Amino acid sequence: MSRERSIRGKVALAGVGESAYYKRGGAPDAEFKLGLQAILAACDDAGIDPREIDGFASYSNDSNDPARFAAALGLPELRFANMVWGGGGGGGSGAIGNAAAAIAAGYADCVVVYRALAQGQNYRFGQGNFPSKVAGESAHWVPYGIMSPAQMFAMRTTRLMHEHGIDRSTLRAVSMASYHHAQNNPRAVMHGRPLDAASYDESRWIVEPFRLFDCCLENDGAAAVVLVPAERAHDLQQKPVYLLGTTQGSEYRAGAGVHNNPDYATSSFKTLAPRLYAMAGVQPSDVDVVQSYENFTGGVVMSLIEHGFCSYESANEALAFENLIAPDGGLPINTSGGNLAECYMHGLELIVEAVRQVRGSSPNPVTDAEVSLVSSGPMVSNATNLIVGAESTL
Amino acid sequence: MSDSPSILPLGLPEPVPQPDGLDAPYWEGVRRHELLVQRCNACRGWQWGPEWICHHCLSFDIGWDSVVGEARIFSWERVWHPVHPGLSGAVPYTVLLVEFPESGGIRMVGNLVGDPEQDVPIGATVLPAFEDHDGAEPPFTLVQWKLA
Ligand SMILES: [Zn+2]
């Protein structure tokens, strides 16, 4: 990969913000208003006048139109509006990548990535949202009772456990790490709701091999990130955090229909992770803290392995609870509580947290964190990921 | 109505052929209790799910052929939390992902026939069980799987 065609160091994540996070149905405000709150919070965090925004990027068919945001905010001009194609929450890091690319290419100067999602106001992801007649690819699995995301991804995790001997206790450790971190995060929906091993083990099955606590939440809220050219970061009010690399995509025939993707028990990061590290100029051992999108715990295990933090053989030991928590674990993950315990903001809250780790303002700070990795949307296509770093990493 | 009881209750979303005709031979085949999948007339490669082009050789000349060889359990899940109102009294149920090693390794989804809490041995051979829904409009047939 040509270094001239890399995004490395060219763009800064200058501001991050969120609305209050709510349980599903708990938001007192409309989804669009939550989005406005997050955008203004991110601008305020950066020290940027919201009227400077000239572009938007989002993902997963966010229903809040960027032109409406531009009009509502009285923006003088909209220069860029972009949506990552497909993949649900897998598009989160990709939306950052697209916003950064727009800045690097000169399309726009101040691009906001947002995700607003009020599952209490719109349809719930966890429910079967299918009509009485189904046609096309889904006709080959919906009538057999595969209707929810958990049901779509459980068989991949069964296969992971079968092929590679991944223990149930490893899935449990991922869940417990998120809940542990949420206890220090007042924003977290599960703040004040700790999870111990016994409670996990006693929780009900959703779809084997997933218990209740293996599954992400359904929430109401919004999050936003403001991106500017790197050279502007010094003039703003936060410690600069730079995009070191980001990739999108998936492996050979990941999108083959009816569960026919040849490499089945994969998070779809096997081809992305090497490209990400090459672009960012770091290795897995250089990464200080990881935000790994939890739709379901099995996908987190796949993603951590495919990003080179452990092997299939070492996963059950390397992904023990004590190793996954800040500040003392060797591989701290999902340090705000993530999709399992902070808020299911479709993974944009993970990118907010990755930035806060580099600034030292995480609710669970990793000491001297300089290199911070996010993987968005395991087991989907597109999957996307990114690495951000401190000034010292440039 | 169906001669044989269905594994899952009636009232779930019902499959219909894709309006553009891509998977019509599959749905017509299972009505006759034949399990047809795509097979390329140019390179004889197998393909599933259905697509308009052969991913092996990029020929548009795709035909349909009966699967050959054994079907084996590749993966499974057991659903306890129903997400459709019609399934609230029907849990648990077991979903299988079945592989045809001798038909290009193509895979299909179906339900496991019998006790939904029985052990599900990955790699075990399974046989298709055609589940006719003759009373549906239009009628359709699902393909379920029983341990051989
Ligand atoms: Zn061919």
Side-chain angles (χ1 to χ4, degrees):
Chain A
M1 185 176 305
S2 160
R3 190 47 74 83
E4 297 82 63
R5 289 174 55 219
S6 169
I7 201 72
R8 189 182 199 283
K10 293 179 179 167
V11 174
L13 287 72
V16 295
E18 62 266 291
S19 71
Y21 289 151
Y22 303 95
K23 293 187 175 176
R24 170 177 47 80
D29 295 317
E31 184 180 88
F32 189 80
K33 187 175 178 184
L34 297 169
L36 288 165
Q37 291 166 352
I39 292 167
L40 293 184
C43 290
D44 184 61
D45 179 66
I48 286 176
D49 182 339
R51 304 292 172 88
E52 289 189 45
I53 299 169
D54 61 0
F56 291 106
S58 190
Y59 57 101
S60 194
N61 300 324
D62 189 290
S63 54
N64 303 283
D65 192 293
R68 184 179 168 195
F69 275 130
L73 294 168
L75 302 188
E77 184 183 11
L78 185 63
R79 297 176 181 169
F80 181 75
N82 177 275
M83 173 72 72
V84 175
W85 196 278
S93 294
I96 298 285
N98 290 346
I103 291 170
Y107 299 160
D109 294 323
C110 180
V111 182
V112 168
V113 174
Y114 64 85
R115 185 79 178 98
L117 184 63
Q119 293 200 43
Q121 296 170 20
N122 299 307
Y123 77 85
R124 292 177 58 189
F125 285 16
Q127 293 295 309
N129 299 290
F130 292 95
S132 60
K133 302 286 185 189
V134 285
E137 200 242 342
S138 63
H140 297 272
W141 37 269
V142 166
Y144 302 101
I146 298 184
M147 300 185 197
S148 70
Q151 295 162 0
M152 293 171 200
F153 296 124
M155 291 197 293
R156 290 209 198 203
T157 299
T158 303
R159 189 69 197 180
L160 170 82
M161 298 167 84
H162 173 79
E163 276 185 27
H164 300 293
I166 301 299
D167 292 339
R168 164 145 301 285
S169 61
T170 303
L171 306 187
R172 181 177 67 192
V174 168
S175 179
M176 286 176 61
S178 291
Y179 273 81
H180 175 83
H181 290 135
Q183 304 317 309
N184 285 335
N185 180 2
R187 285 184 299 272
V189 171
M190 290 299 172
H191 184 245
R193 298 274 302 277
L195 175 68
D196 59 21
S199 300
Y200 172 95
D201 290 343
E202 291 161 8
S203 67
R204 61 191 172 94
W205 291 115
I206 299 300
V207 45
E208 288 178 60
F210 297 144
R211 292 187 182 276
L212 176 66
F213 293 110
D214 291 303
C215 304
C216 58
L217 304 172
E218 296 174 311
N219 294 122
D220 298 354
V225 179
V226 185
L227 289 88
V228 298
E231 55 271 23
R232 204 179 158 203
H234 284 286
D235 303 331
L236 300 173
Q237 70 190 22
Q238 301 289 349
K239 176 182 172 182
V241 178
Y242 300 94
L243 185 63
L244 299 184
T246 177
T247 69
Q248 306 188 17
S250 47
E251 72 284 358
Y252 172 69
R253 299 196 81 230
V258 202
H259 294 245
N260 275 265
N261 49 317
D263 187 352
Y264 188 66
T266 182
S267 60
S268 283
F269 284 113
K270 287 180 184 174
T271 58
L272 276 69
R275 284 193 282 128
L276 178 68
Y277 290 126
M279 182 181 289
V282 302
Q283 299 179 357
S285 59
D286 298 320
V287 175
D288 296 306
V289 57
V290 177
Q291 312 302 322
S292 183
Y293 188 109
E294 326 101 305
N295 36 19
F296 307 99
T297 53
V300 177
V301 173
M302 295 174 200
S303 176
L304 293 171
I305 294 168
E306 292 174 21
H307 280 89
F309 297 116
C310 60
S311 65
Y312 291 106
E313 292 74 22
S314 70
N316 290 327
E317 282 182 43
L319 306 184
F321 171 71
E322 293 73 17
N323 201 39
L324 298 179
I325 59 173
D328 297 324
L331 181 59
I333 67 165
N334 302 336
T335 48
S336 68
N339 284 326
L340 295 182
E342 182 185 30
C343 178
Y344 184 77
M345 203 28 59
H346 226 179
L348 194 52
E349 86 287 351
L350 299 172
I351 295 169
V352 170
E353 172 64 7
V355 170
R356 288 189 174 131
Q357 281 289 359
V358 176
R359 291 180 182 173
S361 60
S362 162
N364 293 281
V366 171
T367 309
D368 298 327
E370 295 181 325
V371 178
S372 184
L373 182 146
V374 180
S375 64
S376 301
M379 306 184 284
V380 302
S381 179
N382 278 342
T384 69
N385 56 12
L386 64 78
I387 293 176
V388 293
E391 182 101 43
S392 56
T393 64
L394 293 182
Chain B
M1 296 302 288
S2 171
D3 297 330
S4 56
S6 58
I7 292 182
L8 298 182
L10 303 180
L12 301 184
E14 297 178 340
V16 291
Q18 198 164 316
D20 60 15
L22 176 61
D23 61 3
Y26 170 85
W27 292 112
E28 293 162 5
V30 293
R31 289 297 294 156
R32 303 187 302 267
H33 294 193
E34 290 179 45
L35 203 44
L36 302 180
V37 296
Q38 285 188 317
R39 194 167 191 191
C40 177
N41 289 326
C43 77
R44 304 302 291 154
W46 298 90
Q47 179 163 281
W48 198 248
E51 191 47 272
W52 291 109
I53 193 168
C54 170
H55 74 276
H56 302 287
C57 76
L58 306 188
S59 170
F60 286 107
D61 186 13
I62 300 254
W64 293 78
D65 211 345
S66 292
V67 291
V68 297
E70 289 187 336
R72 294 186 195 145
I73 297 174
F74 183 79
S75 193
W76 63 277
E77 67 187 31
R78 185 175 288 126
V79 177
W80 292 85
H81 176 71
V83 300
H84 188 284
L87 289 168
S88 55
V91 291
Y93 59 90
T94 299
V95 183
L96 299 184
L97 185 58
V98 165
E99 182 185 46
F100 287 85
E102 294 162 53
S103 302
I106 61 110
R107 304 185 198 124
M108 294 181 178
V109 169
N111 296 121
L112 176 62
V113 175
D115 180 0
E117 297 196 59
Q118 66 187 290
D119 283 340
V120 187
I122 288 179
T125 302
V126 286
L127 300 169
F130 293 90
E131 183 183 289
D132 292 321
H133 290 249
D134 296 340
E137 185 49 51
F140 64 92
T141 295
L142 299 180
V143 184
Q144 313 289 18
W145 301 94
K146 58 190 175 193
L147 286 167

